[in-house]
Every structure is written in structure tokens, then in C-alpha cells.
Amino acid sequence: MVTAALKLLPLAGVIALAVWLLLRDGGHALAANPPVPLGASAVAGAAALTFWGFLGVESATVPADKVEDAARVVPLVTIVGTALTGVVYVAVAAAIALMMPRAEIAASPAPVAAFLGRTFGEGIGDVVALFAAISAFGALNGFILLQGEMPWAMARGGVFPAWFGKESAAGTPARAHLVSGVLVTVVTLLNYTGKTGDLFAEVASISLAAGMLAYLASALAALKLLRGDIAVTVAAVIAAGFVVWMTYGLGLKADLWGLALLALGLPVYWWVRRG
């Protein structure tokens, strides 16, 4: 809770600064950026990378067996959390995109710090970096929970080796935690000499490509299991179409990597089902 609150401070600062500049200067606060031609592939690619921020929207369902009143809490936090995140993302991105020269944004590795630095000086970058570290720590805290719960749940569901379903005396899926942690560390070390931005783009694209199948399957399952509900049917059709569109936007390279990762799981699934 502390990290979640702290990481919002610089983002709230961006929104507050943008509102103050608009009230003070009106339209003069907007940067004179030339129009950019938009193409279907460019928009799809941008939407796909933006969706990276929402990847894991289903995370609250993973530890549902450990949540009090899960039937009410899990759907509530999923919907409210996604909506609030969307509002913050759009507000911050709009402020920076509308009030900074496009070339300056593209050249900056930290647009939030650059935006605040235009008013408060370059020293603000160190402050924003501190909050970014806090945000990363908070995100890591959540993902550590998930990286153990997901293989554990799959093992309990019969689609992953039962070895991952074993718990410690404290009820922790320790084996799943250790294996997942080692694999994630290896992926990070493979790009240790590369640029952080390049690593983000690669990991984001490949993760999205591999994960899209789960979202597509969920949408199709909703069509089959809840076909009597018109609202759900419409939402599921839109969701399935959105997933297909995003898969196109990720590009052939990311999609092939995603398919390769999925193919690696097939022998494991076959082995588990035979056993």
C-alpha cells in the first residue's frame, strides 16, 4: 500500500502541473507539434505496447483462494483498479504529449522527469528516479506473489507438473518461486549489456504475444459459457477482436517468439496429461 501510494506522487505532480499551466497560460501551454500521419499498423503497434501496462489485469484472480470474500472483492478490484489505472495513464500521457515538443519526448529516456524538469529544474529528475525505484519495488512485490501462485495453480489444475504444486510448511509454493525467479533472472542477464529501453520493448512485445492467447481463449470461453447474456456476448466479441488486432500490431517477430514459447509448453502439457 505504501509503495502504491508513493509511486503515484510524481504522476499526480504531472497532472497537477499540467492543469496549472493550462489555467495560467491557456492554449499557449500546448506545444506546437506538427501533425503526424497515422497508419493502421502504427496505431496497432502503439496500442499493443500501451497494453503492456495492463498485462496481468487478471492478476487478482490468481490468489483468489487466499482472499476474503473473493466473489465480491476480486471482480471489484479488477474493474476499479483497471479503470483508475487507465485514467492516470491517459491523463499523464496527454499532459506530456500535448505540452512537450515531440522531438524532446522521443529523445528523453524519462519523459515524466523531463516534463517536471521544464518547470522545477533538472534536479527533479533524481527525485522522480527515486519514486520510479519505489514503483519498481512495489511492482516486484506483486509479481513475486504471482510468479509462485501461477505455476502452483496450473499444477493443481492438472496442466503443469505436480512438482510445482508442492508447498512449504508455511503454505508457500517455494518450488514455483525458485524456478520462476531463476528464469526471470536469466532473461534479464541475457540483455545485461543492452539498453534498458530495448530490453523493455523486447520483453513487452514477446510477453504480450505469448499472453494474447490466454485473453483470446477467455473471450471465446465467455461467448460459449455465457451466451445467454447479451452484454457479455458483445463485450466478448469486442475483446476477441481487440486481441486479434493487437497481435497484428506486435509484428511478426514478436508473434513468432510468442508462438515458440507456447510450443515449448506443448510437450510439458502432453507429458502431464499422459501422467
Side-chain angles (χ1 to χ4, degrees), residues 14 21 36 43 52 71 82 85 92 98 100 105 107 115 128 134 171 183 200 203 220 236 249 262 270:
V14 169
L21 290 174
V36 175
V43 173
W52 163 259
T82 303
T85 301
V92 171
L98 293 174
M100 284 182 66
I105 298 174
F115 179 78
V128 173
I134 293 172
L183 289 176
F200 164 75
V203 171
L220 297 179
L262 291 170
W270 176 79

Side-chain angles (χ1 to χ4, degrees), residues 178-243:
L178 290 172
V179 174
S180 298
V182 169
L183 289 176
V184 172
T185 303
V186 169
V187 170
T188 304
L189 291 177
L190 287 175
N191 197 74
Y192 183 74
T193 57
K195 295 180 179 179
T196 304
D198 295 336
L199 174 63
F200 164 75
E202 290 289 330
V203 171
S205 298
I206 294 172
S207 298
L208 283 164
M212 286 301 99
L213 181 60
Y215 293 111
L216 179 62
S218 297
L220 297 179
L223 282 175
K224 179 179 180 180
L225 300 176
L226 303 170
R227 53 181 175 268
D229 191 319
I230 300 299
V232 171
T233 299
V234 173
V237 170
I238 295 174
F242 180 72
V243 169

Side-chain angles (χ1 to χ4, degrees), residues 14-15 18 86-96:
V14 169
I15 298 171
V87 169
V88 173
Y89 273 28
V90 170
V92 171
I96 295 174

